[in-house]
Amino acid sequence: MISIIAVAVLLVAAIAYYLVQLELEPTFYYTAAWILVVLLLLALGNGFLTHQFDKHIPWLKYGNLRFFMQLAIGIIYSLVIINLAYVTFKGLFTANAPTPEQYVVMNAYGLVIFIPFYSIYFSLQFLRHWKKSELDVEKFKKESIRAQLESLKNHLDPHFLFNNLNILSSLIDRGKEQSKAFLDNFAEVYRAILRSKDEDLIPLSDELNFIQSYISLLKTRFEELILFKIEGGADIQNKVIPPLTLQMLIENAIKHNIISEKRSLEVSIAISDEYLIVSNSLNKRPEEPKEQSGSGLENIRRRYRYFTDREIKIMRNASHFTVEVPLIEMEEF
């Protein structure tokens, strides 16, 4: 950006030097200076407006609103700058105040000269963001598919199947009711995973219902070695999250901690007005390969970037590891 401005300044200086050598009428120089100042202020001002809109009204979330607001505010800003610059130059270099006729002519020139420049700038900026949004959509689809495949792969893993089928076999010997309940939860976990492949977001209530089945499998397998605590209270209506987010966070806690009779794993799930909070006690496994460490959290983070500007919060102390993921309002979509 600085290099472009420097080149523009040098170009303007060269043109100004050339025009001075021509010894034209002073009015010509005033007009040329006015045009250059207006163009510079329009470039700087619209760049600032674009930055503020990107921060507070991003294209991805507020596409229609952003289009009309930036177009309208950009045109109004352009007309204000045209008039202010004209009045300033008129006051500095002449003794007469602008007449109504001069205002009309000046605004007509402004509309003919400057508004097309702004329209071209706005169109290019809109196209750039539209192209970026398309790329973001494709990137998100790839990340979502990768997350779903990773979760499905984990649950189709021979060890996972062997462990759960082994548990089912032992439950059959104990009683029909226990084995049927376990089998129902087993089927529900796979059904939810397969169903999620067609969804970008699911209601938080659906994710919580699914996680109950998943927790039942874990409690049957680990018994009292994993302790779960779920705290509700917040209104979860119209709240949505990317599918399998909660399951991946619980799986992440199991994957990275040692679970033993000496030290059980404690996992708590809490819901606030804006965040889903998952916290687990720490009993870290020995150092893992770098490519495996944090891959699940990074996967979740990349998927969330598509839907919200709010960051996932990760906190760690000597005893606990906590992740807070934003809850997304359905009305935003």
Side-chain angles (χ1 to χ4, degrees):
M1 182 66 180
I2 296 176
S3 59
I4 294 175
I5 294 176
V7 171
V9 170
L10 291 174
L11 183 61
V12 169
I15 294 173
Y17 176 78
Y18 175 75
L19 292 175
V20 169
Q21 302 304 312
L22 296 178
E23 297 182 357
L24 301 173
E25 291 292 327
T27 305
F28 175 84
Y29 296 114
Y30 300 153
T31 303
W34 170 66
I35 292 174
L36 291 174
V37 168
V38 170
L39 286 174
L40 179 62
L41 291 175
L42 289 182
L44 294 175
N46 282 298
F48 175 77
L49 287 174
T50 298
H51 176 72
Q52 294 302 312
F53 274 112
D54 287 343
K55 183 186 297 186
H56 301 292
I57 311 179
W59 283 105
L60 192 60
K61 187 180 293 185
Y62 307 101
N64 293 333
L65 177 65
R66 167 71 180 270
F67 180 87
F68 290 108
M69 279 192 66
Q70 186 167 355
L71 181 62
I73 292 176
I75 291 175
I76 292 171
Y77 170 77
S78 300
L79 291 174
V80 169
I81 289 299
I82 290 169
N83 283 272
L84 285 177
Y86 180 74
V87 171
T88 301
F89 272 78
K90 187 76 172 174
L92 289 175
F93 301 112
T94 68
N96 301 319
T99 64
E101 292 78 9
Q102 287 175 326
Y103 273 116
V104 172
V105 172
M106 181 269 306
N107 279 280
Y109 274 120
L111 290 172
V112 171
I113 296 173
F114 299 114
I115 298 303
F117 277 100
Y118 174 73
S119 299
I120 293 171
Y121 163 82
F122 181 76
S123 299
L124 291 174
Q125 198 251 352
F126 173 76
L127 288 173
R128 180 171 63 85
H129 279 275
W130 175 77
K131 184 177 181 180
K132 183 177 182 298
S133 296
E134 289 291 313
L135 293 174
D136 287 342
V137 168
E138 291 301 318
K139 183 179 178 182
F140 168 75
K141 287 180 179 178
K142 292 179 182 178
E143 294 295 341
S144 184
I145 291 172
R146 186 182 294 115
Q148 291 157 5
L149 289 176
E150 183 67 24
S151 182
L152 186 59
K153 181 182 72 174
N154 289 338
H155 289 92
L156 291 177
D157 182 271
H159 294 291
F160 181 84
L161 287 172
F162 176 79
N163 288 332
N164 284 284
L165 291 175
N166 208 25
I167 293 170
L168 179 60
S169 177
S170 65
L171 289 176
I172 291 174
D173 295 332
R174 297 182 195 176
K176 180 180 177 181
E177 293 300 322
Q178 278 185 300
S179 58
K180 184 179 183 302
F182 183 86
L183 186 58
D184 288 343
N185 289 321
F186 197 30
E188 180 58 33
V189 167
Y190 277 99
R191 188 182 300 114
I193 292 171
L194 293 173
R195 188 170 57 238
S196 70
K197 67 183 177 62
D198 299 320
E199 303 291 340
D200 294 332
L201 294 168
I202 63 171
L204 177 59
S205 57
D206 288 357
E207 181 82 352
L208 291 173
N209 291 333
F210 155 69
I211 213 63
Q212 293 287 356
S213 298
Y214 182 67
I215 287 175
S216 294
L217 291 183
L218 295 176
K219 290 181 74 172
T220 304
R221 177 184 172 188
F222 290 100
E223 297 182 340
E224 297 303 316
L225 299 182
I226 300 182
L227 304 176
F228 288 94
K229 180 181 180 182
I230 300 178
E231 299 177 359
D235 183 12
I236 63 173
Q237 287 188 344
N238 299 323
K239 299 291 177 63
V240 294
I241 62 174
L244 305 179
T245 296
L246 184 51
Q247 180 264 335
M248 291 179 73
L249 290 173
I250 294 175
E251 193 173 77
N252 194 64
I254 296 172
K255 179 180 178 182
H256 296 291
N257 288 280
I258 298 174
I259 303 174
S260 66
E261 294 181 358
K262 294 181 179 180
R263 189 171 179 181
S264 60
L265 178 67
E266 298 176 1
V267 180
S268 68
I269 301 169
I271 304 167
S272 69
D273 291 334
E274 296 186 352
Y275 286 89
L276 175 66
I277 306 162
V278 179
S279 179
N280 63 267
S281 57
L282 278 178
N283 186 20
K284 292 289 291 180
R285 293 182 183 275
E287 289 297 322
E288 302 168 320
K290 188 175 182 181
E291 60 270 16
Q292 294 182 8
S293 180
S295 59
L297 292 174
E298 183 57 30
N299 188 301
I300 295 173
R301 184 182 284 111
R302 285 197 297 264
R303 295 171 71 197
Y304 258 90
R305 285 176 187 152
Y306 179 75
F307 297 107
T308 180
D309 294 329
R310 289 183 290 161
E311 291 290 332
I312 293 174
K313 300 178 182 179
I314 299 175
M315 292 154 283
R316 184 199 307 264
N317 56 33
S319 60
H320 284 81
F321 182 82
T322 304
V323 180
E324 297 184 7
V325 295
L327 295 177
I328 302 167
E329 290 285 349
M330 188 55 127
E331 287 82 354
E332 295 178 9
F333 301 91

